[in-house]
Structures are given as C-alpha cells and as structure tokens.
C-alpha cells in the first residue's frame, strides 16, 4: 500500500472522530432560575411610600459619612 | 536586665509557671516595679491555664527590628537588635525537661500563644498572639491564625493580634493601625506592615504640628489617612452624628464580619475585636464590647461605652478591604427593604406572611455581615441550607465581597439556635445611586437579579428551609 493511501485513511479516521456535535462535548452548567423583565415581577413596581422612606434613610447615612470627611480633624490621640 | 544580660548563651529557658511566685517573677524580671501590660499578659496566660513558659532568646522580630532601625539605633543608649519571645503552654513542663540524657521535644503540647518582648524597659510587650479565654472565645470575632515554629515544632495560634505602644516611636494610634493591618494581613492576605511603615505613612499635611518621632500623638485625621495609605481605606463614623444608628449597631455589623473597629476616644484609641450580648432578666440584652487596649492588655471587656474610662467615644474608624465600597448600614437598609417588599407580595404563602408580621412586630430583626462570596457559598451546607437551594446559590456569579442581610428570629438567636429565616445578598461594589439586591431568599422563593441582562430570575423552593445558622457564626470563622 502506498504511503499516500495510508495518509488518506488516517485523515479519514481522524475526520470521523471529529464529527461529534458540540452538545455532546460541552455540558452547560445552568441554574434553574426562570428569568423575567423586572417590570413583570411582583414587588418591583414603584411604591412611593416605601421609596421615599428608603431614600430618606440613605440620605441620612450619606450625610454622616460626608460630615466625617470635614469634621473633627483636631481630636488628638496619644 | 541590662544590655549584656539580654543575650545569654542559651537558646531558651523554660519556666514552670505552677511553682509559687513564678509568674510574678517573670513579669518582675522584665519590668521591675511596674504593674503594666506585661503583668496583664502573663496574668492572661495564667487564666488560659498556662503551666509552662518558654523564653526564646535572640528572636529576630520583624516589627521590633523596624522600630530599632528607625528609632532605637539612633539613640545614645544602646539597644539590642534582638527580642525575647515567650511561648505559653498549658500544663506543667514535661518530666524529660529535667533530664540531661533526653532531648526535650516541644511536639504535642497544648500551645496557648506567644508574646514578643522588646529590649526596651518602658515598653516590653511587642507583637502578641494569645488565645482568648474560653468563655470569650465565641465572641472574639476578629481572630486570625498565625503559624509558629518553636525549635522545629510547628504550632498554630488563633488570636486577635496585640502590641503595646512604646510611647516614643509609636503611640496608641500607630499601634491601633498596626494591629488592624496585621490582622488583615493574617486573615485576608493584606500587605504585611511593620511599625516603621505605619510611622512613615503618617501625613504631615493633615495638620499635625508635633514631631513625628518621638511621637507625642496623632490627630484623628492622621490616623484615618494612615489606614488609607496602607491599603485599608477606612469608613469613619462620627458618633454624635449617627441619628438612627448607635455605636452598637454600627460596630457590631463590622465585628460580625470579622473587621476590627478602631475607637477614637478622649485622647486615646483602642481596637474593638468582638462583642457579646449580656442578658439581664428585666432589662433585656445589652452589648459588651471586647477590646485590645495597648495601654492595658488583651481582650478587655467594655461594660458600657457611655461610662467607659475613655468616655466620650468620638469616632469609629473601620479600616476595610478596598473592594468593600458599601457601608454596612446602607447595605442593611437596601437588603431589608427588598425583603420587606418581597414578603408583602407573598400573601398566599403562610410562612412568608408570618415572617412579614414578625418583622413588623420586631420579633425578627436584621443582621448584616460582610463575607467573602466564596466562603458564603462553601458554608451553605454547614449552615443548614438544603442541597438543591445551595446548588442554585453556588452557581450564581458574585463579587469577591458581599453583604449578607439576614432576617433573624430574636427568640432563636437568644437561645443560641439557628435563627436565619430569610436573607438578601448585596454586591459590596454596587452603585450608590442605583440600589440593587443581587440575590434574596424568602420562604418558598429564591430570586436573582442578573446585572448583565437586567432580568430577575425566580427559583421556587419547594422544600421547607429550616432556620439556618447565621453566616457570621459559620463563615466569619477561619477554618
């Protein structure tokens, strides 16, 4: 058998091995969450009372962090 | 102990601490006539059950070396460049110690920790890692592991670091900064800083008029700037401005997370490393903090900040890893709001309805803990999360640091039982003006907000999830 034929057969065998579809080679790791747009999810609709309460709370927090930037520079620790 | 006596031609000396007067003699030998930090360290070791002390001579301590090279080597009085390190062990010295024909091994002993002693008469106690007493060990949340080698025998000590100021090169503020940085190094892999690094990081432009060395003290703003410059940018809380919060609510969030809290008080600073709830039959519970006070000793109980010897406390300074942007109280406000809204919509679920009612009546409170997300995922099963829910959690991509806001049954918490009924996960790097919750769980449902697609995913939890152990109890501890 000629060398050329041997090479051709080898290539053919390799090609056969490569025909596996990707889904058989790759296993996606999924979660079981079912996704939706937030506007379709109960509890995501605007709630003016709750929104303004949380806004006020966060503003207070931001305020004392801002004050900490500028005050009490002269406290002395020894 | 003079300059020449400091370096005997011996590798070490063993002291039987159970012999009458041995402990007192040990303190007296190093600090004659002074009732100070060393006496308090030795007393603590005795309370831990120390029966044997091994004094390791010629110990090269990286922290003292930095003090020596930057300060003590420049004085007229001569100071050795080496330290002594005292190791404390439970139990009496083994009998082979008294035999000359058998080489004593240090293997298999009950190791309690160590204290480095500086060759400086007025400031003996250097880097110290000593276990807390057993009745406090569950409450000292800022503990880290350090590996110790004693003549070829390896030991691990789990403790909150400690060091006493030398009142020259370092004062309380430097020492508080060093302690916090060393802890973050051991626990979270932050850079290793020595006292000279801390002193070098003090900014003169912050308004301090005194000489840097010998130091007469630091301004509060200089301390905060030191933490910034050493890679642990701090959140600063002016105590008078806290409004809806309190010292306890702010400090406990960070202590739950294993982050030490520096307190700037009247001319002194110290570091809180834990807290415990003390119950009084009629007046309910109150918080007792546990502090490392560099002028007193390790694991000191603070009965009440309002009547503390360092009253008034002025600021809380919380050095944090760089990637933890969101303050705990902000994370808690956002997480608690999401859980409330979610529960309010689940009127068909009896467990959700009951939880909502308990939150409104105050039977259920919120507790916040910052934790590494990998650790959170790893520990889900140990906290009692059913396998299927844990798997869904584990497959979600999360930032390195997350805030876990837990809805906690006060009754179960007070009984020491698993008490977490729901939780919300906050991305610690999230936008300040677009508040989002990454994942949240309420009875019957686990929800995820996908930040890439801006979609909300539901996973119905069909199995009943029992009350879980808190993340601070499981993931906050080193394993």
């Amino acid at each position: 058998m000629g060398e050329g034929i041997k090479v051709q057969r080898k290539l053919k065998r390799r090609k056969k091995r490569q025909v596996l579809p990707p889904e058989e080679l790759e296993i996606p790791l999924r979660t079981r969450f079912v996704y939706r747009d937030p506007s379709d999810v109960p509890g995501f609709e605007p709630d003016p009372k709750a929104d303004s309460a949380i806004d006020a709370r966060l503003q207070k927090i931001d305020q004392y962090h801002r004050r900490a930037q500028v005050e009490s520079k002269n406290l002395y620790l020894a | 102990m003079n300059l020449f006596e400091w370096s005997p031609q011996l590798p070490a000396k063993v002291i039987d601490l159970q012999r009458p007067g041995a402990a007192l003699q040990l303190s007296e030998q190093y600090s004659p006539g002074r009732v100070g930090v060393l006496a308090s360290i030795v007393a603590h070791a005795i309370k831990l059950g120390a029966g044997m002390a091994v004094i390791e001579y010629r110990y090269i301590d990286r922290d003292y070396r930095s003090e020596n090279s930057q300060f003590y080597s420049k004085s007229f009085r001569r100071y050795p460049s080496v330290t002594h390190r005292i190791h404390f062990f439970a139990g009496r010295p083994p009998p082979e110690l008294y035999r000359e024909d058998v080489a004593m091994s240090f293997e298999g002993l009950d190791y309690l920790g160590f204290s480095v002693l500086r060759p400086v008469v007025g400031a003996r106690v250097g880097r110290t890692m000593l276990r807390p007493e057993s009745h406090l060990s569950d409450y000292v949340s800022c503990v880290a592991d350090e590996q110790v080698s004693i003549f070829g025998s390896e030991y691990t000590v789990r403790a909150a670091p400690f060091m006493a100021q030398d009142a020259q090169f370092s004062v309380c503020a430097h020492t508080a900064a060093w302690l916090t940085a060393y802890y973050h190094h051991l626990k979270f892999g932050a850079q290793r800083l020595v006292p000279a690094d801390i002193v070098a990081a003090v900014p003169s432009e912050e308004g301090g008029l005194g000489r840097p060395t010998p130091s007469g003290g630091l301004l509060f703003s200089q301390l905060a700037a030191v933490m910034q410059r050493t890679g642990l940018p701090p959140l600063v809380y002016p105590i008078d401005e806290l409004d809806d919060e309190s010292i306890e609510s702010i400090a406990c969030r960070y202590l739950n997370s294993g982050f030490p809290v520096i307190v700037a008080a009247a001319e002194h600073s110290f570091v809180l490393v834990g807290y415990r709830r003390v119950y009084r039959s009629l007046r309910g519970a109150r918080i007792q903090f546990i502090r490392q006070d560099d002028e007193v000793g390790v694991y000191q109980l603070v009965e009440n900040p309002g009547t503390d010897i360092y009253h008034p406390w002025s600021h809380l300074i919380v050095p944090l890893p760089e990637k933890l942007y969101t303050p705990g109280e902000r994370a808690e406000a956002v997480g608690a709001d999401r859980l409330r809204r979610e529960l309010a919509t689940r009127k068909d679920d009896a467990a959700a309805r009951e939880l909502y009612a308990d939150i409104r009546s105050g039977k259920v409170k919120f507790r916040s803990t910052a934790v590494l997300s990998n650790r959170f995922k790893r520990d889900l099963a140990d906290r009692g999360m059913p396998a299927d829910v844990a798997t869904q959690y584990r497959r979600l991509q999360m930032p390195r640091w997350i805030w876990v806001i837990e809805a906690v049954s006060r009754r179960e918490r007070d009984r020491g039982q698993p008490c977490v009924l729901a939780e919300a996960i906050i991305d610690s790097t999230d936008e300040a003006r677009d508040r989002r919750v990454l994942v949240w769980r309420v009875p019957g449902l686990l929800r995820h907000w996908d930040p890439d697609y801006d979609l909300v995913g539901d996973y119905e939890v069909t199995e009943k999830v029992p009350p879980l152990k808190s993340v601070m109890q499981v993931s906050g501890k080193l394993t």
Side-chain angles (χ1 to χ4, degrees), chain B residues 231-258:
Chain B
L232 293 168
L235 281 171
V236 176
Y237 293 90
I239 288 168
D240 288 345
E241 311 272 356
L242 292 180
D243 290 326
D244 302 340
E245 296 281 347
S246 64
I247 293 174
E248 287 81 0
S249 67
I250 295 285
C252 291
R253 283 190 198 105
Y254 295 105
L255 294 171
N256 288 346
S257 312

Side-chain angles (χ1 to χ4, degrees), chain B residues 283-359:
Chain B
R283 287 192 286 172
R286 65 188 175 82
I287 299 289
Q288 262 184 348
F289 287 112
I290 302 164
R291 71 173 156 215
Q292 303 289 66
D293 182 347
D294 77 310
E295 289 280 66
V296 180
V298 291
Y299 310 116
Q300 305 289 309
L301 280 173
V302 182
E303 288 295 332
N304 180 350
T307 55
D308 187 37
I309 47 168
Y310 303 121
H311 175 75
W313 294 11
S314 159
H315 290 75
L316 302 179
I317 304 163
V318 194
L320 293 169
E322 276 183 13
K323 288 289 183 65
L324 215 155
Y325 300 159
T326 310
E329 66 281 15
R330 171 177 261 278
E332 185 168 302
V334 173
D337 178 61
R338 171 52 44 214
L339 289 176
R340 276 195 204 97
R341 289 192 198 207
E342 189 66 63
L343 289 165
T345 63
R346 296 183 62 76
K347 293 186 175 117
D348 298 339
D349 186 307
R353 263 199 328 268
E354 188 187 339
L355 177 54
Y356 188 52
D358 286 349
I359 289 173

Side-chain angles (χ1 to χ4, degrees), chain A residues 3-70:
Chain A
E3 198 58 30
I5 294 173
K6 273 188 186 171
V7 171
Q8 269 182 4
R9 282 187 179 167
K10 206 173 174 183
L11 283 172
K12 214 174 176 180
R13 277 203 302 274
R14 192 175 288 172
K15 207 173 177 184
K16 262 190 185 171
R17 279 206 300 271
Q18 285 174 344
V19 293
L20 279 175
E23 59 268 25
E24 286 185 34
L25 295 170
E26 299 162 2
I27 306 159
L29 195 64
R30 293 198 175 92
T31 67
R32 284 197 258 146
F33 286 89
V34 178
Y35 286 91
R36 289 182 283 174
D37 192 89
S39 57
D40 300 332
V41 179
F44 271 72
E45 58 277 359
D47 176 347
K49 198 174 160 195
D51 286 343
S52 63
I54 181 91
D55 283 341
R57 175 90 191 90
L58 296 180
Q59 266 176 21
K60 271 189 182 176
I61 292 169
D62 290 346
Q63 230 166 35
Y64 60 68
H65 280 292
R66 269 201 300 275
R67 277 188 218 135
Q69 302 292 319
V70 293

